[in-house]
Amino acid sequence: MEVNRRDFLKVLGIGGAATLTSCSAQPPEKLIPYLIPVEEIIPGKATWYATVCRECPAGCGMLVRTLEGRAVKVEGNPDHPVNRGRLCARGQASLQGLYNPDRIRQPLLKDASGSFKSVSWEEAEAWLAGRLAELRQRGKGSGIAWLTPHTTGTLDQLIDRWLQALGSKRRLRYEPFAYEPIKSANRLAFGLEAIPTYDLESSEVIIAFGSDFLETWISPVMYAREFAAMRTYEHGRMGRLIFIGPRLSLTAANADQWVSVPPGTEGVVALGMVRVIVTEGLSKAVPKGKVDSIKSVVNRYTPQFVSKATGVEPEQLERLARRFAQANPGLALGGGTAVSGQEATSTLVAVNLLNYVTGNVGETVLFGPLSTLSRLSTYREMVALIAAMQRGQVSSLFFSEVNPAFTLPKAAGFEQALEKVPLVVSCSSFMDETTAKANLVLPTHTPLESWGDHEPWEGMHGLMQPAMQPVFQTRSLGDLLLSLAKRLGDAPAAVFKEENFYEFLRARWRELHQRVRPDVEFEAFWVEALRRGGEFKELPARRVRLNVGALPQALKGLELPGQAGSLILLPYPSINHFDGRGANKSWLQELPDPMTQLTWDSWLEVHPEDAKRLAIGEGDLVVVKSSHGEIKLPAHLYPGLKRGVVAVPIGQGHTAYGRYADPHHPNALDTRVKERGANPLTLLAPEPDSRSGGLLWLSARVTLTKTGTKYLLASVSGSDRQHNRGIAQVIPLEEITRGGQEAGHPTKKDHPVRQMYPPHEHPIYRWGMVIDLNSCIGCSACVVACYAENNVPVVGKEEVARGREASWIRIERFAEGPPDRPETRFLPMLCQHCDAAPCEPVCPVYATVHNSEGLNIQVYNRCVGTRYCSNNCPYMVRRFNWFTYEWPEPLHLQLNPDVTVREKGVMEKCTFCLQRITDGKARAKEEGRPVRDGEIVPACAQACPTRAIVFGDLKDPESEVSRLSRSPRRYRIFEQLNTQPAITYLKKIVPGPKEI
Amino acid sequence: MAGYRLTYANVNRDILRTMEPPGKLWYILLAISIAFVALGGFAFATQVRYGMGVWGLTHPVMWAIDITNFVFWIGIAHSGTLISAILFLFRVRWRAPIYRTAEAVTVFALFTAALFPIIHLGRPWYFYWLLPYQQVGGLWINFRSPLVWDVFAVLTYMMVSIIFFFTGLVPDLAVVRDQAKGWRRRLYAFLAQGWQGTDRQWRHYTAAYLFLAALATPLVVSVHSVVSWDFAVSILPGWHSTIFAPYFVAGAIHSGLAMVIALLIPIRRIFRLDPYVTQTHLENLAKLIILTGLIVGYSYAVEFFIAWYSANTFEQGAFLYRVVGDYAWGSWIMIIFNAVVPLLFFVKKIRTSTPWLLGISLLINVGMWFERFIIIVTSLAHAYDPYTWGLYKPTWVDLSITAGSFAWFGMWFLLFAKFLPIVSIVEVKEQLPPPTKAEMTAGAPE
Amino acid sequence: MKTTLIAFLKGAWLGPVKTTLVALLGGALSLGQLPFSRMPRFSGTLEQPVTMNHKIHAGDYQMPCLYCHANARRSTVAGIPSVQFCMGCHKITGLALPTVQKLKGYWDRKEPIPWVKVFYQPDFVHFSHVAHVRVGVTCQTCHGPVQTMDRFPNRVFITMDQCVACHRQQQASIDCVMCHK
């Protein structure tokens, strides 16, 4: 099969050429066939390759859809235990990394003038080999340092061995979010410095202390899936989530209750709960002796004390504690940037204690399989490296796909230290703030082009294979290191006998094969792994015991942070951009932040009360000043904050990360927008946390001063409230429980259907959708999936600000309830494919019509653009092509050939992924059978991490979609208009205050 | 000019005088309007080149001043037919000297209005897809779409009013022909269609004119009703309303009359036509405006009442937004200028004073333009789903094309004023006592 | 009244009416011809790099179309045979012919042949060869009598009229999204 693959790679560049037509008005004049056909590939038929998503350390499994040798869509791999077929917005956008127009296209060497000039690989390698050889002669080999992101498996080994071969041990696995406090807290409490497995799915009550597990924390897709499972209402039970922290994050917004406390006091609440539990004898599976010693430790945390410290009412605390103690099992999570001050470790020890006394350790907190994130280097080690660089002990620094110049506090002085390093080599795919400082840039493959493997959790070996031939003259890091070793002569060369990284990988997998499945023959094992996307083995959990003696010491530092007059800065990882690595992808830039609904930007969230006090208005440009630096940011009034806290998303404010991240880039999309966001790390303290060695995200006190200029914030939301128009509806839990089992519970009368014209005939199928608002968490994965599948154009900040974003599906965010107890509702809104569609009769040219399968179809080339249909659509889901939008080369390679690329002046909208329906029906026809239920899945439904969207045939009463659309929670939006939508929504279930 | 006595001779002389080679002022005005038409043309070219995005239109406000202008000009067109056809059928004598101008306004307003349905398309180069003929793959147009009804209504109206206008001109053109020399003579000879004023021709002419008048009359009502259905048959709160047809027709005549006054006053001044277009004529128009103004005011009241009475969240939201929302200023302009200001005409002093007449009729035109703007934009800006609420801000393209449309109308009207008799010679003469022999020989006394 | 009506109906007034009508219609028509041609313009010629002759292959030697364009049987696109495929036969047959030499040249240079595209359908149309082949539509129905043609005289643009006519005749679905994607 490899042989084929090579030919395949050889011919693809040309083979692909014929297919790159979709975005140009001028059709191609040449047809270029394969020189040698590849049996994997039939032109016009998609091929799927299993690999691993490397957009964040979670390592979800991915399937890549390729057509004529170019990857056009990525989807979750159903066989992968982390994400079970689902993928987040960032994963969906990994394609824009592969085809990023600002990728480095060939090696770059910095000349005397300090500017890069492109060189051939031969030159680059020769030059580098020379420099390295020279270093080793001068005995400076030990000064070579390697900086990688979270790397596991084969590549990880290769780099270590390569370093050793050159006589060095300086190796850092650097991630900005390295979870140091969790590790140190587990060391102190359980004597195991690691990140455990959390079993959200089987928990009944989850209390999250600051950890944004639905956004960026450890493994968001996995947790979103488990969370949704635990929230589903069945047999009268439904899980609860309580969020305790200073900011209403997406996770907090999905909680049944958000307890807002001053930053750094989460631990006090936890201990308060522990005290209630142990004093009231509610603790589970804890030996008597331990209970007493725990009592003594937490004695001072009386409800009164807690409420004084945190503002949490004593009754509320007691209710929470009791509820959590009853939960069977419960789960307390802690972490995230909200819990990252000096007191972070103590806070998390407190959380551990809470889990311990409620008997969750070993139940829902499992020390095995451990997350491989446990192996990350701490921030302290990074600081040490910087110091070494300062002292000139680092003779050369290699790094790949990390951007410390952006993700470290400015005050840490990484950039100055970098000056002191004689040889800096970047092995990255993109130019960024750090790579810009390198002497030599060796562009590497993106994960979608490389062989490799990744082990997110012990025993879960995901296998990566190239989904297509490299887009540019790049090389895989593995191959690069191997050939360098060869050039470095005998000693290093001897270490590696493998020809290339592919061989090296297979060698490692031979070892794995010996360990796990020696019974089967290796090739079979290997092909199976390629097909399934890896080799996954369940590992047993280790038993841990609480180290009570250490508690008093471990819980130190929970005395309250002194409330100075200045505001506390809470930087939080953006769900779109993570630590900033997503910022060079236009889909993620255009994707509205789920909570603030803002796009293309970062901003300063200020509580309206604080804003009033400081006379700051929405969109005022503000100077944010800390003792370490200052940045300019627009203010966004955000009620979801504890007063005295201001929050800033991390990830914007790039200065050298391509056209989409950097507004000053010559090819930037917007011409008038000159500034876009800023990097909050400028404001942070450089010193590592003395206890955990982590970065003190929560360290900065800031002062705000108005600049007097107004700043354009591109929000996609017209109104935060729904003005009692019943768009996103809820149903009280008791109403459901009173009805007992869901099925057949008559809580709902459908609106009578009135029709002047004869009803539509749907002879075979009638496509429909059900969206469960109880599952939707507003993560917006569906939105990006739709962009990728349907060639939806990106319009840029200015156009979004005018309301011209082109997204076919949007997540409407409505704020309900009083400001102190905000209730956030998310609602995916897309074309409702009405049976009596208001858009149809008004079109003068029949460009939009109802078809025989219940779809409301839009014939682009018939549309003349009167825009009447949009005016007459009560859901306002139709989007107009104001201009002919462009896909800068090579982004156009990602365009889906099964979907028309629309030209200026035509209306467009959701088609229920018509191309997938056509494809599904064709397949069924080939096999001479009707379409199976669940066989056709639109991109949005496929991506949804919580299975909130279900698509299918409404004519088949047994199909899942028909079943769900009979649910007592069903409703249709604006039913009274008699539009008879094909989309049924299921009301969100809200427990009353007493039921939490 | 009080003692000025109208005779056949005077009439000929006075009215033909208006067609003498124009003065500087005319050329300046023409130059200005052509310049603005060019600007509008350039703006449209930009739109075709780059796409509709150069307009200020956006999601959700996909129609704004493009359609505003369309409805506005259709409205202006109404006075003409009303005055010339309906008043003709009712044998209203005072119509004679002003109906020519009124009809001209109609025809040129239609020329202008007819541009917008094409301009506002996302792909204007395919405008002919809206015409009823069998298209590729056996496709037809959608007869359920109000936009198709528009095509029929407007084209019919344009056709009929042009024929009516032309027919009425024929005898006068003959008079002009007899006076003219050189190329003008040939031109008018063609346009006069060989009119000799024979008894037979007169008999046919009067019959034809009568029937055309009868034919045109229903259009006054139908056309603007159809236009109003563009909105009324939609389901948008603020558009979806049963009173739209009468409400729009009244509004149309309201603005039409105002426009006629606004044009007559300068004309009669410049061409010294006071003896023909007298204060009485203007006063009568003013009286008509009182009527239409009252109807319009009533419609406004009803709209708001129904919105409140319906107890429908969406209706109430829409109308509340109109008067207190982002475009409230526009709503107040519309209410005051259209419904309140015209009431001043109840005062005889005001409706007989030229400056007041001119001022008020201009205000009414502004008011009527804003009426359409408010109906279209506010309803779209705050539709059903609050999440999609948005605002509309015009760009230079919107404004240039609007300015261009006014200039386009002005251009035609200027040409009309110089190349055609702006007062009907024939009908004015009809109302004069036939000349005595003495006069015939002596000619008109000075 | 009656007389007037008759007079009206055959009256001289029709003169102006005719004139106006003619003017209007003329205007409308000339507007219809606005210079907005959407047809793509082509620079290249139809001269194929290798003068592959369908008459010889499909005509004289009676080779079925699907022998070379095999993907039409299993995919939406019929596909052009790979150079390797051509060489399959021409390693033996007709080696002497200059054309075949040319073909061999490409093979030796390991270079695919840049054939010139002849049949066009717009980008917004989804057409599946396999669907049509399966129900027994002959290639000639759309592509013409290829087996009799030495070369294609000019480019062919498949139009909606052809598709719809055939679909109507065969009672195949004429749902817009059968073809429009």
Side-chain angles (χ1 to χ4, degrees), chain C residues 124-141:
Chain C
F124 47 72
V125 171
H126 159 86
F127 176 85
S128 166
H129 276 88
V130 57
H132 290 79
V133 170
R134 203 187 295 109
V135 296
V137 180
T138 64
C139 307
Q140 287 78 358
T141 320

Side-chain angles (χ1 to χ4, degrees), chain A residues 97-110:
Chain A
L98 172 68
Y99 294 121
N100 195 298
D102 300 312
R103 262 184 79 176
I104 307 168
R105 308 190 174 200
Q106 69 280 82
L108 304 170
L109 182 60
K110 206 170 250 165

Side-chain angles (χ1 to χ4, degrees), chain B residues 4 43 82 90 101 117 128 138 192 229 236 238 251 313 318 325 367 373 414 432:
Chain B
Y4 188 78
L82 175 85
F90 286 103
T101 322
Y128 55 86
W229 292 337
L236 196 65
T313 335
F373 179 82
L414 284 166
L432 299 179

Side-chain angles (χ1 to χ4, degrees), chain B residues 128-141:
Chain B
Y128 55 86
W129 286 2
L130 279 79
L131 300 176
Y133 67 99
Q134 188 169 46
Q135 296 167 23
V136 65
L139 278 168
W140 269 85
I141 48 173

Side-chain angles (χ1 to χ4, degrees), chain A residues 341-457:
Chain A
Q342 264 96 0
E343 66 296 319
T345 307
S346 320
T347 306
L348 293 170
V349 170
V351 172
N352 286 343
L353 191 56
L354 182 57
N355 273 323
Y356 181 79
V357 296
T358 46
N360 301 333
V361 181
E363 280 282 328
T364 51
V365 181
L366 302 162
F367 283 87
L370 299 175
S371 164
T372 53
L373 288 166
S374 319
R375 306 178 197 153
L376 288 175
S377 319
T378 61
Y379 173 66
R380 187 187 281 124
E381 295 170 68
M382 191 66 194
V383 173
L385 177 71
I386 295 173
M389 286 158 70
Q390 282 289 8
R391 289 194 300 275
Q393 292 166 345
V394 176
S395 59
S396 77
L397 178 69
F398 285 70
F399 61 88
S400 78
E401 314 299 347
V402 290
N403 189 5
F406 180 84
T407 53
L408 286 174
K410 284 274 163 297
F414 177 81
E415 290 175 60
Q416 298 81 324
L418 208 54
E419 313 281 313
K420 298 262 183 26
V421 181
L423 173 61
V424 180
V425 181
S426 163
C427 309
S428 302
S429 309
F430 307 104
M431 185 54 69
D432 60 27
E433 289 75 9
T434 317
T435 301
K437 296 250 182 313
N439 312 90
L440 176 66
V441 183
L442 301 171
T444 49
H445 290 348
T446 55
L448 289 174
E449 298 161 311
S450 5
W451 285 103
D453 53 2
H454 182 59
E455 184 187 12
W457 301 84

Side-chain angles (χ1 to χ4, degrees), chain A residues 174-215:
Chain A
Y174 167 69
E175 284 285 342
F177 309 114
Y179 309 96
E180 295 93 340
I182 298 183
K183 290 193 282 182
S184 59
N186 287 338
R187 192 191 64 238
L188 291 167
F190 303 119
L192 189 59
E193 181 156 1
I195 299 169
T197 294
Y198 299 105
D199 180 355
L200 285 71
E201 188 157 357
S202 50
S203 324
E204 194 187 325
V205 176
I206 300 176
I207 298 191
F209 294 88
S211 45
D212 300 336
F213 61 87
L214 294 178
E215 291 144 276

Side-chain angles (χ1 to χ4, degrees), chain A residues 595-834:
Chain A
M595 291 314 294
T596 61
Q597 297 290 310
L598 296 171
T599 62
W600 286 96
D601 236 317
S602 69
W603 50 87
L604 178 80
E605 290 169 17
V606 189
H607 190 284
E609 295 299 315
D610 293 328
K612 201 184 291 151
R613 187 167 49 79
L614 300 161
I616 293 172
E618 176 81 12
D620 284 348
L621 193 60
V622 178
V623 180
V624 189
K625 200 171 181 317
S626 80
S627 46
H628 298 284
E630 65 173 54
I631 52 173
K632 279 204 192 111
L633 277 175
H636 171 60
L637 305 194
Y638 187 69
L641 280 173
K642 188 74 185 173
R643 285 201 56 180
V645 181
V646 292
V648 178
I650 301 162
Q652 296 280 19
H654 284 277
T655 54
Y657 194 38
R659 67 192 65 186
Y660 298 120
D662 167 17
H664 300 283
H665 192 282
N667 304 335
L669 211 56
D670 295 311
T671 48
R672 286 196 296 284
V673 175
K674 279 282 152 276
E675 293 304 329
R676 252 180 37 213
N679 185 359
L681 281 118
T682 318
L683 304 170
L684 299 191
E687 304 77 19
D689 171 16
S690 52
R691 300 178 70 191
S692 67
L695 170 57
L696 295 167
W697 292 99
L698 203 62
S699 58
R701 300 309 189 86
V702 294
T703 54
L704 312 182
T705 40
K706 276 171 77 176
T707 59
T709 46
K710 274 273 174 204
Y711 179 100
L712 174 80
L713 280 170
S715 168
V716 296
S717 162
S719 162
D720 289 345
R721 302 235 155 212
Q722 35 176 341
H723 303 263
N724 329 322
R725 296 187 173 196
I727 296 163
Q729 298 186 18
V730 296
I731 183 167
L733 178 60
E734 67 263 279
E735 194 176 320
I736 289 282
T737 35
R738 244 192 287 109
Q741 283 301 327
E742 266 213 20
H745 169 49
T747 55
K748 170 83 172 61
K749 286 205 176 32
D750 290 323
H751 195 275
V753 167
R754 297 198 185 73
Q755 185 67 283
M756 178 176 117
Y757 294 95
H760 290 118
E761 303 265 319
H762 302 115
I764 311 168
Y765 304 110
R766 167 140 198 233
W767 305 115
M769 189 179 269
V770 171
I771 299 177
D772 187 345
L773 299 183
N774 202 45
S775 304
C776 177
I777 57 169
C779 69
S780 308
C782 49
V783 179
V784 178
C786 182
Y787 269 84
E789 173 74 14
N790 293 305
N791 305 336
V792 175
V794 170
V795 300
K797 182 178 172 181
E798 286 165 27
E799 287 292 287
V800 172
R802 297 175 95 169
R804 291 179 179 173
E805 69 275 9
S807 180
W808 285 2
I809 175 173
R810 56 177 189 253
I811 306 295
E812 299 190 350
R813 192 271 282 113
F814 291 114
E816 298 290 311
D820 54 320
R821 277 187 93 259
E823 182 200 318
T824 318
R825 299 187 192 166
F826 295 103
L827 176 119
M829 175 61 84
L830 57 157
C831 175
Q832 304 285 307
H833 290 270
C834 309

